[in-house]
Amino acid sequence: MSKKRFLLKLSGEALAGDRKFGFSEETVQTVAKQVKQLTDLDVEVAIVIGGGNFWRGRTGESMDRVKADQIGMLATVMNCIYASDVFRRIGLATAIYTPFAVGAFTRLFSKDAAMADLNAGKVVFFAGGTGHPYFSTDTITTLRAIEIEADEILLAKAVDGVYDSDPKTNPNARRYDTITLEAVIANRLQVMDLTATILACENRMPLRVFALRGDNAIINALSDDFEGTLVTVE
């Protein structure tokens, strides 16, 4: 595999595994081992993790939206600190960046510093979202992927690709093998939130959407065994 750079988006729920809340070390180790296989092939990997295993915006329905979103940002910081530690224990070098100061726990985001870490073979975590309310981790995923000049976004979800309707409620939902970002926007398909999708489209950032199931889901997403949806740009 020629040298590539990817941004992997993981849901917070993925870190929880079957527990649905908090951390599943077994699940994170499975992810870490796959990422190590990629870095061993000279692939550069950055990661964004959601905070849904601790907090989602709807968790604080009675709260001020700004405060609720700030709690969500901190949940993503906790997730990245935890995942980073698991990654280090299997031999990976890591760095965590946030858009706001978090004491000595993380580094303040700088494109130059993040790119230097990626070039040095470190796995780079982007925590804390954009640092502003009303933006999701989908948005920061797309933004950071564009900033670090990633080749693609790897979007690991609970479902195995992009469907024409919700497969949870429609047994006849059809999965797309390939679809354009323009079609995703036009049909309001649930891949990422609309802001993130438009940003990806405007900046010609393709995605691979797949389910984070099994021991080699991430590796397979970059191989001929890929089972998911390629989201391309016209």
Side-chain angles (χ1 to χ4, degrees), residues 23 30 32-33 38-39 42 51 65 78 80 83 88 147 170 179 181 192 218 225:
F23 303 120
T30 298
K33 289 174 182 176
L38 294 177
T39 60
D42 206 24
R65 170 67 185 271
M78 291 192 296
C80 285
R88 290 185 181 194
E147 288 179 306
N170 179 12
I179 191 171
L181 281 162
M192 300 187 293
I218 299 169
D225 295 326

Side-chain angles (χ1 to χ4, degrees), residues 4-10 31 35 38-39 43-49 80 87 93-97 109 114-115 117-119 121-127 140-141 143-155 218:
K4 293 281 190 178
R5 179 182 299 137
F6 297 99
L7 195 149
L8 172 64
K9 165 67 187 303
L10 301 169
V31 172
V35 171
L38 294 177
T39 60
V43 175
E44 297 174 357
V45 181
I47 298 176
V48 171
I49 305 175
C80 285
F87 276 48
T94 66
I96 305 172
Y97 287 91
F109 174 73
M115 294 283 275
D117 280 335
L118 286 166
N119 288 330
K122 292 184 179 180
V123 177
V124 173
F125 291 87
F126 296 123
I140 194 60
T141 295
L143 177 61
R144 292 289 186 253
I146 294 164
E147 288 179 306
I148 66 171
E149 302 167 28
D151 292 288
E152 288 180 298
I153 293 171
L154 305 180
L155 196 59
I218 299 169

